[in-house]
Amino acid sequence: MKHELVIVLDFGGQYNQLIARRVRECNVYCEVKPYTMPLDEIKALNPKGIIFTGGPNSVYDEKSPHIAKEIFEMGIPILGICYGSQLMSYTLGGKVETAPVSEYGHTEVEVDTKDVIFDGVSDKTVCWMSHTDYISEVPEGFSITAHTPVCPVAAMAYPEKKLYATQFHPEVMHTAEGMKMLSNFVYKVCECKGDWQMASFVETTIKELKEKIGDGKVLCALSGGVDSSVAAVLLSKAIGKQLTCVFVDHGLLRKNEGDEVEAVFGPDGHYELNFVRVNAQKRYLEKLKGVEDPETKRKIIGEEFIRVFEEEAKKIGAVDFLVQGTIYPDVIESGLGKSAVIKSHHNVGGLPDVVDFKEIVEPLRMLFKDEVRKVGLELGIPEYLVFRQPFPGPGLGIRIIGEVTEEKIKIVQEADYIYREEIAKAGIDKGLGQYFAALTNMRSVGVMGDFRTYDYAIALRAVNTSDFMTADAAQLPWEVLAKVTNRIVNEVKGVNRVMYDCTGKPPATIEFE
Ligand code: XMP
C-alpha cells in the first residue's frame, strides 16, 4: 500500500530528521530529501506537503542553498521553518534583514489563532528561536500571523496558496505547542488522513529489503544491542536463511549476556537465520594482557573484533550485503566528525574496509532510538532486549580500570549483576539513562569477620541523560545503594568497598575509560 507522504527538504539545519520524526509522530510518513532534488522528482513522489528546514546560512549569500520559484507554484502545501521561512520570503519577493543581535532561546510569541497553523494554540505561546536574519517585509499575498517584540514576522501565511512559514522551530520540545502546529499543517493544510504507523514501517521495509536483496547473501555483526538486534530481525523476516549473523563474544559482556543473545538468535531461538557465535574470550584476554592504557585497550578490542569478524566472513564466503544497525544519531555523530577525539568509539563502522561485500544495508538509518525500540516491539523482539540500556562495544574492558584479567571480569560481572537486579527490584530501571558497576584499580584495607582484607573497590554509576552527550549523576535512593553495597561486599569475592560516582558529564564521561 502506498502511504501519504510529506517530505522535508534539507537546507542544512540541525533539526532536519527531528522534523521528519515529528511528522511521523502525527502518523504521516515523512522522509528527508536534499534541497537540490529536482522539482520533477519531487512531483513524482506526489507529496501531500513539503517542509523546508532551517539552516545556518543567509539568503543573501550567493553560496547559500536556494530553491527555484516554481516550487511555490506546484500547488503542494509548503511550511518553511527558520531559514526555510526566510528563503520562502526572499524567493517570493519579501525582504530579509540581519538583526544587530541574534534572537536565541525561549521566546513568547503572540499568534493569530484564526490562522490554521495556530488553530487550538494559545494566543501567547512559548517558542524556540535561533536566528540572526529575520523577515522584515512579507511577500505580496502573505499576512503576518505571529510576532514577538523583536521579530516582526515570527510567522506568515498565504492560505490561498497553502504557503506557511515560522521563524521559530515548531519541531523542538522547547516550542511548547509545536506539535499542535505541525499537526495542523499536516492535517488541516496538507489534508492528510494519517495512514502511517510503525507497523507500516516494518511492512514497507521488509518488502523493500526483499526487493533489494533478491537471493543475495547478507552478513550482520550482531552485538545483542537494540540496534543490531532490530536490524537482524528485520532482515530475517525479509530473507530468512540468506542472512548470517555473527556474534563475537569477547568475554567482556555482562553476566549471562552471551547466552541470552544466543537464546534469542541461536538455533533454538525465535528467528529464521544462520547464527554464528564466536567464543573469543581467550583470544581477547591474551591480547589485553599487561595493557593498562584506556585508548590502547579500546583499540585492541576494536581491532580484534574486526579480525574475528573477518575470519568468520571468509568462512561464509563472498557476501553481497553487509547489514549495519546504524541509527540516525550515529549518522549525525559521524557526519560532524570534527570534534576532538575523547574516546575512539568501537562500532561496526570500521568493518567495511575489511570485508568483501557489494553494498551496505542500513534499514534503521533514519530512525531515532525510541523509534527503533517501537520497531523492535512491533517485530515481537523480547522487551528485555528492546529496552536494554546502551552497552559499549569494548564492553567491560572499559569498565575495568587498568589491566583486564579473568578475575577482574568475574568481579565486575557479579557486582554489576547485583546492581542491575536491585535497581530493577526497586522499579527505578526505566527512569535511568544508564547504570552499571565498574571496577576501580584501587585496593584498600577492610575488615571482614575478624580478618583484615585488602581488596578492590567497586564504583557504581547511574546517570540521567537524554542524548548521552551530557549527563547528570542520578540521585538514587539511599536504601537501594545501601542494599547493593551490602550484597556486593558479601557476595562478590575480592571486593570490600563500594563507592557511588556523583560526577556529571562533563567533566567526567559516562564510561570510566
Ligand atoms: P561516554 O563514556 O563517552 O559514553 O560518555 C557515551 C555513551 O556511549 C557509550 N559508549 C560506547 N558505545 N562503542 C559504543 O558502541 C564504544 O566504544 C563506546 N564507548 C562509550 C556509553 O556506554 C554511553 O552510552
Side-chain angles (χ1 to χ4, degrees), residues 397-452:
I398 56 168
R399 292 182 181 172
I400 292 170
I401 315 285
E403 187 187 2
V404 176
T405 64
E406 214 169 342
E407 182 210 5
K408 287 181 178 172
I409 295 174
K410 184 94 184 122
I411 290 177
V412 77
Q413 274 179 338
E414 293 300 327
D416 182 69
Y417 188 77
I418 292 170
Y419 187 34
R420 285 188 291 132
E421 195 170 66
E422 290 301 328
I423 294 255
K425 260 198 227 158
I428 50 177
D429 48 338
K430 291 244 162 72
L432 294 169
Q434 201 168 352
Y435 54 96
F436 55 87
L439 183 60
T440 72
N441 211 10
M442 183 193 92
R443 290 168 81 198
S444 64
V445 176
V447 53
M448 261 203 184
D450 291 328
F451 294 100
R452 175 188 193 270

Side-chain angles (χ1 to χ4, degrees), residues 298 343 345-346 390 392-394 398 434 468 505 509-511:
R298 278 179 168 272
K343 300 174 181 184
H345 270 214
H346 152 120
I398 56 168
Q434 201 168 352
F468 297 88
K505 171 184 178 178
T509 52
I510 296 175
E511 300 291 346

